[in-house]
Amino acid sequence: MRGAVSARVILLVLGLAWLGLLACSLTLGRYPISLSNLSAILLEPVMHTAAQGNDIEKTVVWTVRMPRILVASLAGGGLAVAGAVLQGVFRNPLVGPHIIGVSTGATVGGALSILLGWGAVGLLASAFGSGMLSLLLVYAVTRTLPRANTLGVVLAGVVLSGFFAALVSLIQYVADSEEKLPVIVYWLMGSFSTATYAKLTLLAGPTLAATALMLILAWRINILSLGDEEARALHVNTGHLRWMLLTAVAIVVSAQVAVSGSIGWVGLVIPHAARLLTGPDHRKLLPVSFMMGAVFMVCVDNVARSLTGSEIPLSILTAIIGAPVFLCLLRRSQSRGWSG
Amino acid sequence: MVAVWLIGMMLVALPASAAIEITDQAGRTVQLAQPAQRIFFSAPGDFTIMAMLEENPARRIVAWNRWRLDKHTLNHWRSIDPDAFDRINQMVIDGPQNLNAEMLIASQPDLVVLDHYFKSATQTISRLEQAGIPVAILDLEADLRRPNPTEGLEKMAVLIGREQRGREVGQFIREHVERITSRIAALKKRQATLPTVLMEPHAGSGPCCTSVGSGVLMGDLILMAGGKLIGNDIVEGLSGQLSAEFVISSDPEIYIGTGGRHIESRGGLLLGPGVDLDASRASLERVTQRVGVAQTRAVRNKRTYGIWHSGYPIINLELVATWIHPELFSDVDPAATLAELNRRFMARPLTGTFWVTPTTEKKPR
């Protein structure tokens, strides 16, 4: 019981931290907005009073920053949960959303849509579609293997990831070097600069539904983490459960890539940090991972949009922050022993 | 057959028989026995320049890099002489890394003209010269930043035996550049602050906002016309991404986007040959309503403009000058300049919409 309470406390602290960060992020940026003006702008719809801030300040808060912060929160949270689930399913701390080939698969669709000029809707649809298609290919390849175990899934994911990366390189090679190539490269590095409420809706639907499914199945992931034989002894259909979870992960990752391009490290680093706080129980680990991912992603995006007048691609920042943090976490978890 | 031709070319390329000699823009000596008849051009816009130098440019061109040119432009140039145009080996080469010596040699040119972007293909250049094919590094399109903006064009005119025509075109362009730059020089002496401009290349093809980089001709036209680029200090290279917040906080007085048919499918600014003015104006409206641009003074004061990405630099310079400093250049009429350029020099003038403003009355042709 004590563990459950502490998980609730952690979630409460993270929730409050996220709310504080939301307020802070809404004032932060190239366009200065005071806290008093911000509170007036936020309270205006509720209080039905004219806000102190001018129309441009309102636009910056409601149209530029708010959807961006919410998209960053959802994307970060979704990726962190996806990473935590994969690490549990494969019983391997070095596994992240990239390992099953979905994120690379989704980038193929996105890059192709930019190359062919399909517009914003086309980009979203093709990135999401190709991400899901890549999971289908992983499944098809795994079915052809003599022993369809977790190692087979990982190997199929790695092989297809390499193939998709080559396709992305081919798309970049044939892209117009002045007009389309920079757009593809920038999109591949990830950014929330295109965030809108429409994109928030498109991200929220699949992400929240898939995350809810993973949270519902959290206790089964605990069983899966024991190993296939133990899970079968407890009457869990491991193959069916594993693919259900992989589909949920693929939905989250594909939706994120479709909306904001490829963002690395979040799904690898955050579950480790969360595990240090909650232990290996996925019922606690997944919600804490979600909140930590949301907080982390908003912090990173604040740096990306505020440090210079130009947008810094997110993957650069997540790698710069993620790599050293991951090494530290790895050392700590190694000394404790990893159980997941 | 190719072997015989190669031997012939090597003999032709011998310095003793050189009737025409120039020093190209890379400082290399280029010698021809006679005016070039079978030319390869690396720059897609060079066909347009050749159309200023002679009536039927296709007759002299054996191969051409038509990278990124839309079908309307291609059909327009084809209409001068369809047979000659169809004989041209049309290549699509997006950079020096894809310039293939073998492919060029197969076209049997007597002159290869490479613009500055392709001059880094040193291995290909040396292979061509070993095969006896003269290579000239020339920017035919006027670089208005140079002391002699039409140096490349005039040297090309020499290589095809049209020296007088080259001088006339050069003189026309220099006079029009001087008209702008002399007034801006005087203005800068008496006025410290210049109007701020957001210059967005390929406008509207993505979210707000892209900005031209430092040292790029499109951006330098703004500086020459007495404007201050808001993204100049941040963006390096051809172009780069500015955040919507940076654009809002910079609050530029003037917005100028470049457009073309190549970004039509992605909702970008629509300009160029065969484009209808109403469609172009609608695209400008759409592009300037994106979050970031829509919150600026430029939009509030209706100082939003669009120019064709592949337009004549001299026309573009006059346009941006009249937009940035309307009082100073009240006597400058870019439409009249374009009409004169077409009447005096163009083999067959392009028709369409080449610039757009929120209040453009009649189609600029």
mmCIF file of all heavy atoms in Angstrom, chain B residues 139-153:
data_model
loop_
_atom_site.group_PDB
_atom_site.id
_atom_site.type_symbol
_atom_site.label_atom_id
_atom_site.label_comp_id
_atom_site.label_asym_id
_atom_site.label_seq_id
_atom_site.Cartn_x
_atom_site.Cartn_y
_atom_site.Cartn_z
ATOM 1 N N ASP B 139 28.354 33.121 -64.643
ATOM 2 C CA ASP B 139 26.986 33.332 -64.160
ATOM 3 C C ASP B 139 26.297 34.245 -65.160
ATOM 4 O O ASP B 139 26.569 35.449 -65.186
ATOM 5 C CB ASP B 139 26.993 33.988 -62.779
ATOM 6 C CG ASP B 139 27.374 33.014 -61.684
ATOM 7 O OD1 ASP B 139 26.917 31.866 -61.747
ATOM 8 O OD2 ASP B 139 28.133 33.400 -60.778
ATOM 9 N N LEU B 140 25.434 33.668 -65.965
ATOM 10 C CA LEU B 140 24.769 34.477 -66.992
ATOM 11 C C LEU B 140 23.731 35.414 -66.389
ATOM 12 O O LEU B 140 23.548 36.524 -66.859
ATOM 13 C CB LEU B 140 24.106 33.574 -68.041
ATOM 14 C CG LEU B 140 24.989 33.207 -69.248
ATOM 15 C CD1 LEU B 140 26.247 32.497 -68.821
ATOM 16 C CD2 LEU B 140 24.217 32.376 -70.247
ATOM 17 N N GLU B 141 23.062 34.928 -65.343
ATOM 18 C CA GLU B 141 22.065 35.779 -64.688
ATOM 19 C C GLU B 141 22.788 36.933 -63.995
ATOM 20 O O GLU B 141 23.805 36.726 -63.335
ATOM 21 C CB GLU B 141 21.260 34.979 -63.663
ATOM 22 C CG GLU B 141 20.057 35.739 -63.141
ATOM 23 C CD GLU B 141 19.182 34.903 -62.220
ATOM 24 O OE1 GLU B 141 19.617 34.648 -61.087
ATOM 25 O OE2 GLU B 141 18.079 34.507 -62.640
ATOM 26 N N ALA B 142 22.256 38.116 -64.153
ATOM 27 C CA ALA B 142 22.907 39.305 -63.590
ATOM 28 C C ALA B 142 22.994 39.208 -62.071
ATOM 29 O O ALA B 142 21.984 38.998 -61.401
ATOM 30 C CB ALA B 142 22.127 40.548 -63.988
ATOM 31 N N ASP B 143 24.219 39.322 -61.543
ATOM 32 C CA ASP B 143 24.413 39.392 -60.096
ATOM 33 C C ASP B 143 24.576 40.866 -59.749
ATOM 34 O O ASP B 143 25.658 41.441 -59.903
ATOM 35 C CB ASP B 143 25.646 38.588 -59.679
ATOM 36 C CG ASP B 143 25.785 38.523 -58.160
ATOM 37 O OD1 ASP B 143 25.125 39.332 -57.470
ATOM 38 O OD2 ASP B 143 26.543 37.673 -57.666
ATOM 39 N N LEU B 144 23.489 41.457 -59.304
ATOM 40 C CA LEU B 144 23.435 42.908 -59.129
ATOM 41 C C LEU B 144 24.360 43.422 -58.030
ATOM 42 O O LEU B 144 24.573 44.617 -57.902
ATOM 43 C CB LEU B 144 21.990 43.348 -58.852
ATOM 44 C CG LEU B 144 20.935 42.841 -59.848
ATOM 45 C CD1 LEU B 144 19.582 43.453 -59.552
ATOM 46 C CD2 LEU B 144 21.327 43.125 -61.292
ATOM 47 N N ARG B 145 24.933 42.511 -57.247
ATOM 48 C CA ARG B 145 25.830 42.921 -56.158
ATOM 49 C C ARG B 145 27.233 43.223 -56.674
ATOM 50 O O ARG B 145 28.026 43.853 -55.992
ATOM 51 C CB ARG B 145 25.913 41.805 -55.107
ATOM 52 C CG ARG B 145 24.585 41.474 -54.469
ATOM 53 C CD ARG B 145 24.622 40.152 -53.731
ATOM 54 N NE ARG B 145 24.813 39.019 -54.625
ATOM 55 C CZ ARG B 145 24.753 37.750 -54.240
ATOM 56 N NH1 ARG B 145 24.515 37.456 -52.982
ATOM 57 N NH2 ARG B 145 24.938 36.767 -55.108
ATOM 58 N N ARG B 146 27.554 42.718 -57.860
ATOM 59 C CA ARG B 146 28.912 42.877 -58.402
ATOM 60 C C ARG B 146 29.089 44.251 -59.035
ATOM 61 O O ARG B 146 28.117 44.838 -59.517
ATOM 62 C CB ARG B 146 29.179 41.802 -59.457
ATOM 63 C CG ARG B 146 29.358 40.412 -58.860
ATOM 64 C CD ARG B 146 29.666 39.413 -59.949
ATOM 65 N NE ARG B 146 29.890 38.074 -59.391
ATOM 66 C CZ ARG B 146 29.757 36.961 -60.072
ATOM 67 N NH1 ARG B 146 29.393 37.004 -61.339
ATOM 68 N NH2 ARG B 146 29.986 35.789 -59.514
ATOM 69 N N PRO B 147 30.346 44.728 -59.071
ATOM 70 C CA PRO B 147 30.601 46.021 -59.737
ATOM 71 C C PRO B 147 30.100 46.013 -61.180
ATOM 72 O O PRO B 147 29.527 46.996 -61.649
ATOM 73 C CB PRO B 147 32.125 46.154 -59.676
ATOM 74 C CG PRO B 147 32.549 45.280 -58.544
ATOM 75 C CD PRO B 147 31.564 44.158 -58.488
ATOM 76 N N ASN B 148 30.353 44.890 -61.882
ATOM 77 C CA ASN B 148 29.765 44.732 -63.215
ATOM 78 C C ASN B 148 28.787 43.563 -63.149
ATOM 79 O O ASN B 148 29.175 42.405 -63.280
ATOM 80 C CB ASN B 148 30.838 44.464 -64.271
ATOM 81 C CG ASN B 148 30.223 44.284 -65.665
ATOM 82 O OD1 ASN B 148 29.021 44.470 -65.848
ATOM 83 N ND2 ASN B 148 31.041 43.905 -66.628
ATOM 84 N N PRO B 149 27.508 43.857 -62.932
ATOM 85 C CA PRO B 149 26.541 42.778 -62.704
ATOM 86 C C PRO B 149 26.327 41.849 -63.895
ATOM 87 O O PRO B 149 25.882 40.720 -63.728
ATOM 88 C CB PRO B 149 25.245 43.514 -62.353
ATOM 89 C CG PRO B 149 25.420 44.900 -62.843
ATOM 90 C CD PRO B 149 26.879 45.184 -62.842
ATOM 91 N N THR B 150 26.644 42.327 -65.101
ATOM 92 C CA THR B 150 26.368 41.519 -66.294
ATOM 93 C C THR B 150 27.644 40.970 -66.931
ATOM 94 O O THR B 150 27.652 40.634 -68.113
ATOM 95 C CB THR B 150 25.584 42.349 -67.326
ATOM 96 O OG1 THR B 150 26.353 43.517 -67.631
ATOM 97 C CG2 THR B 150 24.221 42.744 -66.803
ATOM 98 N N GLU B 151 28.695 40.844 -66.137
ATOM 99 C CA GLU B 151 29.979 40.351 -66.657
ATOM 100 C C GLU B 151 29.815 38.980 -67.322
ATOM 101 O O GLU B 151 30.300 38.750 -68.432
ATOM 102 C CB GLU B 151 30.995 40.260 -65.511
ATOM 103 C CG GLU B 151 32.370 39.786 -65.952
ATOM 104 C CD GLU B 151 33.293 39.442 -64.786
ATOM 105 O OE1 GLU B 151 32.811 39.385 -63.629
ATOM 106 O OE2 GLU B 151 34.482 39.221 -65.042
ATOM 107 N N GLY B 152 29.120 38.074 -66.651
ATOM 108 C CA GLY B 152 28.930 36.718 -67.182
ATOM 109 C C GLY B 152 28.161 36.718 -68.484
ATOM 110 O O GLY B 152 28.537 36.045 -69.453
ATOM 111 N N LEU B 153 27.090 37.486 -68.511
ATOM 112 C CA LEU B 153 26.247 37.592 -69.705
ATOM 113 C C LEU B 153 27.055 38.149 -70.886
ATOM 114 O O LEU B 153 26.984 37.624 -72.007
ATOM 115 C CB LEU B 153 25.060 38.504 -69.378
ATOM 116 C CG LEU B 153 24.047 38.852 -70.455
ATOM 117 C CD1 LEU B 153 22.679 39.081 -69.815
ATOM 118 C CD2 LEU B 153 24.429 40.084 -71.262
#
